[in-house]
Amino acid sequence: MPYGFWLYEKLYSYKVLYFIGQFNMKFIKGDFATIKNKKKIAILLATLNSKDYIDEMILSLFGQSFDDFCIFVHDDGSKDDTQVILEDYERTYPDKIVIMNYPATGSAKANFFSMMEAVESDYYMFADHDDVWLKDKLKLSFEKIKEIETKEETILNINDVDTTVIKSTTASNESAENPPQSENLAVDELPGKPSANNSNDIGHKSAKYLSPACAFTDMYVTDADLNITSSSFVRFIDRDPCNLDYHRLIIDNPAAGCSMIFNRALRDKAMECENLDNIDMHDHFLISLAAVVGNVAFIDLPLNYYRQHGDNEMGAGVSESAKDKVLRNLKEFFSGKARANKRAFNDISRKLAAEIVKVSGIAEDKKAELEAFANIGKKGKLCRIAFYSKHGFDRKSGNFWFYIWL
């Protein structure tokens, strides 16, 4: 074996050589080399002033029943002790956590896009710094994404999920040989480089042969102390998880990023995005793109605690009664805010469609339809209403008022 190849293999196996490929990145300021994930799943963890919650989040990841993952974290400019805590975890568990050091991006959307670009992996999941994941979240998510890469979705049964959750401790009290323990917790060694000849090595099939795919779960909505306020995030925000057609998803996104898993094929398509300013959030773009060019599936189980507190960049919002909603709409109408708010809401989906059509591989009929949708604002109101109605661009409820404000 040539010495150079032998040295590469040694450095790779000892986690010294993580960096491969280009330095001039689209979504990262400055030079940063691409990181190759040696596990099946890359968990992309975004942090910002996270010291109050980050221990619970990381420990819930360590407690997963599926262990073939690595956590890649980028802190977006914390002013508290978040970076110190993360460095402690990285020193203690170097095979499980990798800190990526490059300049702050300025938003959750830009941070997650930068991490998608920085890491090459077979599968990806987003993680919010303040949530807690149930024990089987990775396992069930991975099973679903493997299923829909090549065929239609099925719904999992609630009896299949183990809802054990890890209790919080700190990384500084543990060692690499003795990771934090909980019921059925197991943290394996980082495996060697997968064999290209092993047909049973699921998860390492070349992504170029797989359909772009995204799956998402339901979530418990909680307060800051993890007391459950809603057993279903999707129903709480009044979305229909049974309708995953792109016409609906472009209007109403049912999936938070922290509930999603997606494959390399979808990530590569997402990297063709040209302008982040046309995208409201990373999760909305990804699930809509998957519906256009691939497959989307819903796991009708709450598999993480979606913590709501005063510092959420995005969240579940506030539950409204029908009476409160009518009163709010009337107040906005008479104050003059309603027209501006509805115009801004409609612009989000049209700008999103305008960015999606730039991605390669979209069927010509879909591309023509999405281009027409992106430019529909130039048409008169009756033309807009007729177009939305004909092509099925609608919402789960309230379509009368939705069409009135087009």
Side-chain angles (χ1 to χ4, degrees), residues 136-274:
D136 285 335
K137 179 177 171 68
L138 264 77
K139 174 180 177 290
L140 297 179
S141 296
F142 183 67
E143 288 173 354
K144 176 59 71 175
I145 196 72
K146 292 295 296 180
E147 178 184 319
I148 67 165
E149 285 175 321
T150 55
K151 61 181 180 181
E152 298 294 327
E153 72 163 297
T154 58
I155 301 297
L156 293 170
N157 188 294
I158 188 120
N159 296 320
D160 296 335
V161 62
D162 185 327
T163 56
T164 303
V165 179
I166 308 306
K167 299 299 182 182
S168 176
T169 63
T170 59
S172 58
N173 294 328
E174 307 295 342
S175 68
E177 289 75 23
N178 297 288
Q181 296 296 310
S182 73
E183 182 182 351
N184 300 324
L185 174 62
V187 180
D188 297 334
E189 294 296 322
L190 201 68
K193 196 173 181 180
S195 169
N197 297 321
N198 187 355
S199 61
N200 294 321
D201 193 10
I202 46 177
H204 291 99
K205 181 179 179 182
S206 174
K208 66 182 180 181
Y209 299 113
L210 302 176
S211 172
C214 172
F216 67 104
T217 77
D218 208 344
M219 306 184 292
Y220 291 113
V221 182
T222 79
D223 63 16
D225 298 319
L226 297 183
N227 298 306
I228 296 173
T229 57
S230 175
S231 60
S232 172
F233 167 80
V234 175
R235 279 83 181 181
F236 182 82
I237 62 171
D238 195 28
R239 300 294 189 266
D240 180 7
C242 295
N243 186 342
L244 299 178
D245 183 79
Y246 68 87
H247 301 88
R248 173 68 61 81
L249 295 181
I250 285 175
I251 303 293
D252 273 338
N253 175 26
C258 59
S259 69
M260 294 166 55
I261 184 171
F262 55 99
N263 63 3
R264 174 64 182 271
L266 183 60
R267 175 265 191 187
D268 289 349
K269 290 290 185 185
M271 289 298 96
E272 296 179 32
C273 172
E274 295 181 6

Side-chain angles (χ1 to χ4, degrees), residues 78-92:
S78 292
K79 303 300 183 184
D80 61 9
D81 293 332
T82 298
Q83 189 69 21
V84 174
I85 295 170
L86 292 173
E87 290 170 356
D88 187 17
Y89 274 112
E90 187 181 44
R91 282 192 301 270
T92 309

Side-chain angles (χ1 to χ4, degrees), residues 90-105:
E90 187 181 44
R91 282 192 301 270
T92 309
Y93 311 106
D95 291 343
K96 300 302 293 182
I97 297 182
V98 175
I99 297 175
M100 298 185 289
N101 293 308
Y102 51 83
T105 65

